[in-house]
Amino acid sequence: MVSIKDVAKHAGVAISTVSKVLNHYPNVSEATKRKVNEAIKELGFVPNAVAAALSSKRSGRVALLINLNTQRQAIDEISMRYLSGAINRAVELNLDVITVFFSMIRDKSLEEIVRYLQSQSIDGIIIFGMSTKDTVLHELVESQIFKIVLVDAPVINESTSCVWVDQEQAQYDVVKHTIQMSRYHYKKLLYIAGKREAYVTENRLHGIERVAEEMKLELTVRDGDFSELAARNITLEAGEDADIIACASDLMAIGAMRALIDMDVFHPVCGFDGITLMGYAGMQMNTAKQDFAMIAARALEEVNRLLTGGEGEEIIVAHTLERLQYLDIIC
Amino acid sequence: MVSIKDVAKHAGVAISTVSKVLNHYPNVSEATKRKVNEAIKELGFVPNAVAAALSSKRSGRVALLINLNTQRQAIDEISMRYLSGAINRAVELNLDVITVFFSMIRDKSLEEIVRYLQSQSIDGIIIFGMSTKDTVLHELVESQIFKIVLVDAPVINESTSCVWVDQEQAQYDVVKHTIQMSRYHYKKLLYIAGKREAYVTENRLHGIERVAEEMKLELTVRDGDFSELAARNITLEAGEDADIIACASDLMAIGAMRALIDMDVFHPVCGFDGITLMGYAGMQMNTAKQDFAMIAARALEEVNRLLTGGEGEEIIVAHTLERLQYLDIIC
DNA sequence: CTGTTAGCGCGTTCAG
DNA sequence: CTGAACGCGCTAACAG
């Protein structure tokens, strides 16, 4: 392995000088900078990230903490898009990422988690889908030991940012749009909400309430728990009585729609997320699409900003309205 | 941060002694070993993986090289299962993993890739879905600079293992099973094959040929390229003439089945992979299911074996036959 | 502006 | 069986 020492020798300068040009220090003359860069190119030198991390105490390593929910199976898609969005941006920002699943740190104390992360020289974390019930994660955020970006959870402090789409507006938009697409005059709206401990749930509820009020709809809210099966059962039980069904996730929307099909009644259904799966389910419905890869990329930029001295802030990203069909997907 | 030095002081021994018990060296007395372990527990010491890697030149870091194919969208599921299977086993084996997408190393020379990996102190690699056309990756394998495990590619050498399911047998099984489930006497079998550059394609073809011969079927092979759309078009064109259609992937099977539905004809279709998506597609068909998470976990064990001195070998894992329905999935 | 020096936290001889 | 000493590749004061 060619090291910084070789480069120094080859360029006829001191080791520290090489280090300085590598890290873009200001006080290096153009001449030596050029000499060093040539040597680097000639030797094909690539700085050893591990050594740099050890030496500088600042690693540029960030952990992607993701809640891989094995119960909601099809949700693989969302996790994967988060991951690929984050990882791709990471190479652009020259950060290292490691992926950690919630399952690995569940049942661990704050101390254990902190030490694990520190043993990995991690100084930034992105947490995807933290809920109000994840108390240890909240402690982690409050401890401010790491720079943290929360996706879909609205907590902020000096070293914590959050990024998410405007859930309230998105939920409002998709329902309103669904209603306006039809000329029929709807009266009863059944809303199948997500898990109560999810931060997004509350926000989406506000969106639903706003649209119901504005359009003079009789609103019924049921807890679907983000579960497809629960949504299905709720629909079997209360779906006939509604004119339109809105769901807090695409998966629940699929469950609801399947139930309607079994009941042989038709009501418009709308979802939330915009997963590709929807196109395969063979059903037409509106959804509020979130660009998961983009959100993750944005989160990475944000953690990078925090790592370079920025303060925590809230970042809202845009959603779009979608209506996917099978042929749209494969073509 | 509590370091090995603190532990040594706390236990009243030398630093190197602590290091020895950490790395399970033989020549440490039980008494001091106990003392040290107590100190470790009391201080909550976790060894710094970065420093250890730097010092020992052996990092225990493995790169997960995955071919995230953005064209075949729904394939997210497969990648995610590979990833989670690998990452979960990694923590058990005390290895660090980093995820690298093919897209990051495409257009790079062997040298550049090697240096990148070395700059990350990586010494083991798992490559998911290398094809015959990935020449740089082949060079990487042949260079034997790293310990490599290939998933779904049958290359072996002293420092390279491969793990995959018996594609030939799986393809044989699923088709045979599909035929035997029905009493109808099939004559014409249309097989929609995968990308020719994929190693699995050839193997699956052998399976198809074997079953065709054995059951006296007239076999037509068309290249579907693992593309849903291509499978759809092939079926639209040649599907009516066949009695049964076998596809080299679930996605293609969905494409074929959708085409049949549009054509308003019915022929049994069978797929390959066993992705959950199938259950949502609202179609009943057999498939050869691969347990991606298990395969990835197995690959990680194998790379660990290689890293600890083992020699390359071939590992065949089992497949199962599945027939998923929507309700099976959500219940 | 450049070079010297002292670590970062740990693994590893090699004396004792 | 134990401990002092050196070095992994690099960064960061501090001198010059």
Side-chain angles (χ1 to χ4, degrees):
Chain A
M1 162 169 271
V2 32
S3 84
I4 196 174
K5 199 188 292 178
D6 305 312
V7 177
K9 203 174 298 173
H10 195 91
V13 298
I15 294 181
S16 62
T17 309
V18 178
S19 173
K20 279 169 194 163
V21 345
L22 282 178
N23 297 291
H24 304 104
Y25 271 55
N27 43 355
V28 179
S29 74
E30 280 305 319
T32 53
K33 202 180 289 183
R34 207 153 18 77
K35 260 198 305 185
V36 170
N37 280 323
E38 268 172 30
I40 287 177
K41 212 152 283 172
E42 277 176 36
L43 299 178
F45 166 74
V46 178
N48 184 320
V50 174
L54 178 61
S55 177
S56 67
K57 306 287 290 167
R58 188 223 157 257
S59 60
R61 297 191 74 195
V62 350
L64 266 26
L65 239 179
I66 104 169
N67 192 353
L68 219 191
N69 197 329
T70 48
Q71 299 190 324
R72 295 181 288 147
Q73 310 194 31
I75 233 61
D76 280 349
E77 178 181 339
I78 296 179
S79 308
M80 194 64 222
R81 290 186 194 273
Y82 274 145
L83 277 187
S84 70
I87 293 176
N88 282 323
R89 180 65 97 251
V91 307
E92 294 173 16
L93 296 175
N94 200 26
L95 294 175
D96 293 342
V97 296
I98 73 169
T99 308
V100 179
F101 296 127
F102 276 27
S103 58
M104 302 178 190
I105 60 169
R106 223 183 274 306
D107 313 321
K108 288 198 177 167
S109 70
L110 177 64
E111 278 210 330
E112 287 173 311
I113 294 174
V114 167
R115 277 200 286 261
Y116 169 70
L117 293 171
Q118 285 180 339
S119 83
Q120 294 288 342
S121 294
I122 275 163
D123 34 34
I125 310 176
I126 299 177
I127 306 181
F128 296 94
M130 178 180 77
S131 82
T132 56
K133 287 198 173 170
D134 295 315
T135 50
V136 193
L137 293 182
H138 277 85
E139 294 171 24
L140 187 65
V141 168
E142 281 156 22
S143 74
Q144 299 201 27
I145 298 173
F146 305 97
K147 301 297 184 182
I148 300 186
V149 174
L150 299 166
V151 172
D152 279 357
V155 184
I156 298 186
N157 59 41
E158 292 103 274
S159 50
T160 310
S161 289
C162 68
V163 19
W164 63 351
V165 314
D166 185 342
Q167 307 284 335
E168 199 252 342
Q169 188 63 38
Q171 186 68 79
Y172 173 92
D173 284 349
V174 68
V175 172
K176 183 156 186 183
H177 181 244
T178 303
I179 291 175
Q180 288 179 335
M181 271 180 62
S182 154
R183 274 163 316 194
Y184 181 79
H185 184 61
Y186 297 111
K187 282 187 181 149
K188 294 177 182 174
L189 165 62
L190 170 62
Y191 182 63
I192 305 184
K195 267 194 187 351
R196 286 295 167 155
E197 59 257 41
Y199 284 103
V200 291
T201 297
E202 199 65 27
N203 290 273
R204 293 180 192 167
L205 267 170
H206 289 149
I208 272 289
E209 282 161 5
R210 179 151 66 93
V211 77
E213 187 170 353
E214 199 172 292
M215 306 191 84
K216 310 261 181 280
L217 299 166
E218 185 184 317
L219 174 65
T220 308
V221 175
R222 296 285 299 270
D223 283 353
D225 229 39
F226 286 133
S227 150
E228 213 171 334
L229 184 57
R232 178 187 160 81
N233 291 335
I234 289 170
T235 305
L236 287 174
E237 182 195 323
E240 188 137 22
D241 194 42
D243 298 321
I244 171 174
I245 303 177
C247 299
S249 78
D250 281 349
L251 242 33
M252 290 199 296
I254 290 174
M257 187 64 109
R258 284 278 154 102
L260 289 180
I261 292 170
D262 287 357
M263 296 157 70
D264 203 28
V265 305
F266 174 77
H267 298 312
V269 174
C270 62
F272 203 109
D273 283 339
I275 55 180
T276 327
L277 182 59
M278 191 68 110
Y280 286 89
M283 36 189 72
Q284 276 260 19
M285 65 178 93
N286 295 314
T287 192
K289 175 163 179 156
Q290 309 186 66
D291 187 339
F292 298 106
M294 184 270 279
I295 291 172
R298 193 70 192 73
L300 223 97
E301 286 166 17
E302 184 57 19
V303 87
N304 188 48
R305 200 183 60 77
L306 289 176
L307 286 175
T308 51
E311 283 221 341
E313 62 180 22
E314 182 176 17
I315 293 162
I316 306 286
V317 300
H319 67 277
T320 54
L321 297 184
E322 292 272 330
R323 189 183 187 82
L324 271 188
Q325 255 189 302
Y326 176 65
L327 285 178
D328 297 333
I329 289 183
I330 63 169
C331 292
Chain B
M1 159 166 275
V2 33
S3 84
I4 197 175
K5 199 187 293 177
D6 305 310
V7 178
K9 203 173 297 173
H10 196 89
V13 298
I15 294 180
S16 59
T17 310
V18 178
S19 173
K20 279 168 194 163
V21 346
L22 282 177
N23 298 292
H24 304 104
Y25 270 54
N27 44 355
V28 178
S29 73
E30 280 305 319
T32 52
K33 202 180 289 182
R34 209 156 14 79
K35 261 196 306 185
V36 170
N37 280 323
E38 267 172 32
I40 288 176
K41 212 152 285 173
E42 277 176 36
L43 298 177
F45 166 74
V46 177
N48 184 321
V50 173
L54 178 62
S55 177
S56 66
K57 306 289 287 171
R58 189 220 155 261
S59 60
R61 296 191 75 193
V62 350
L64 267 26
L65 239 179
I66 105 170
N67 192 354
L68 219 191
N69 197 329
T70 48
Q71 299 189 326
R72 296 181 287 149
Q73 310 194 32
I75 233 59
D76 279 350
E77 178 181 338
I78 296 179
S79 308
M80 194 64 221
R81 290 184 196 271
Y82 273 146
L83 278 186
S84 70
I87 293 176
N88 282 322
R89 179 65 97 249
V91 306
E92 293 172 17
L93 296 175
N94 200 24
L95 294 174
D96 293 343
V97 296
I98 73 168
T99 307
V100 179
F101 296 126
F102 276 27
S103 59
M104 301 177 190
I105 60 169
R106 224 185 272 306
D107 314 321
K108 288 198 176 166
S109 70
L110 176 64
E111 279 210 331
E112 287 173 312
I113 294 173
V114 167
R115 277 199 285 262
Y116 169 69
L117 293 172
Q118 285 180 339
S119 83
Q120 294 287 343
S121 295
I122 276 162
D123 34 34
I125 310 175
I126 298 178
I127 306 181
F128 295 94
M130 178 180 77
S131 81
T132 56
K133 286 198 171 169
D134 294 315
T135 51
V136 194
L137 292 183
H138 277 85
E139 294 171 25
L140 187 65
V141 168
E142 281 156 21
S143 73
Q144 299 202 26
I145 297 172
F146 305 97
K147 301 297 182 182
I148 300 185
V149 174
L150 299 166
V151 173
D152 279 357
V155 185
I156 298 187
N157 59 40
E158 292 104 275
S159 51
T160 310
S161 290
C162 69
V163 19
W164 64 351
V165 313
D166 185 343
Q167 306 285 336
E168 199 253 341
Q169 188 63 38
Q171 187 67 79
Y172 173 92
D173 284 349
V174 69
V175 173
K176 184 157 186 184
H177 182 242
T178 303
I179 291 175
Q180 287 179 335
M181 272 181 60
S182 154
R183 274 163 314 192
Y184 181 78
H185 184 62
Y186 297 113
K187 283 188 178 145
K188 294 177 182 173
L189 166 61
L190 170 62
Y191 182 62
I192 306 184
K195 269 194 184 354
R196 287 293 168 156
E197 59 258 40
Y199 284 103
V200 292
T201 297
E202 199 65 27
N203 290 272
R204 292 180 193 168
L205 266 170
H206 290 148
I208 272 290
E209 284 160 3
R210 179 150 66 94
V211 77
E213 187 170 351
E214 199 172 291
M215 307 192 83
K216 309 262 180 280
L217 298 166
E218 186 183 315
L219 175 64
T220 308
V221 175
R222 295 287 299 272
D223 283 353
D225 229 41
F226 286 133
S227 151
E228 212 171 334
L229 184 57
R232 179 187 159 82
N233 290 336
I234 289 170
T235 305
L236 288 173
E237 183 195 323
E240 188 137 20
D241 194 43
D243 297 321
I244 171 174
I245 302 178
C247 300
S249 79
D250 280 349
L251 242 33
M252 291 198 296
I254 290 174
M257 186 64 109
R258 284 279 156 101
L260 289 180
I261 292 169
D262 287 357
M263 295 156 71
D264 203 26
V265 304
F266 174 76
H267 299 310
V269 174
C270 63
F272 203 109
D273 283 339
I275 55 180
T276 327
L277 182 60
M278 190 69 109
Y280 285 90
M283 35 188 76
Q284 275 260 19
M285 65 179 93
N286 294 314
T287 192
K289 175 163 180 158
Q290 311 186 66
D291 186 340
F292 298 106
M294 185 269 280
I295 291 172
R298 194 71 192 74
L300 222 98
E301 286 166 16
E302 185 57 18
V303 88
N304 189 48
R305 202 182 59 77
L306 289 176
L307 287 175
T308 51
E311 283 220 340
E313 62 180 21
E314 183 177 16
I315 293 163
I316 306 288
V317 301
H319 67 278
T320 53
L321 297 184
E322 292 272 330
R323 189 182 187 84
L324 271 188
Q325 255 189 302
Y326 176 65
L327 284 179
D328 297 334
I329 290 184
I330 63 169
C331 292

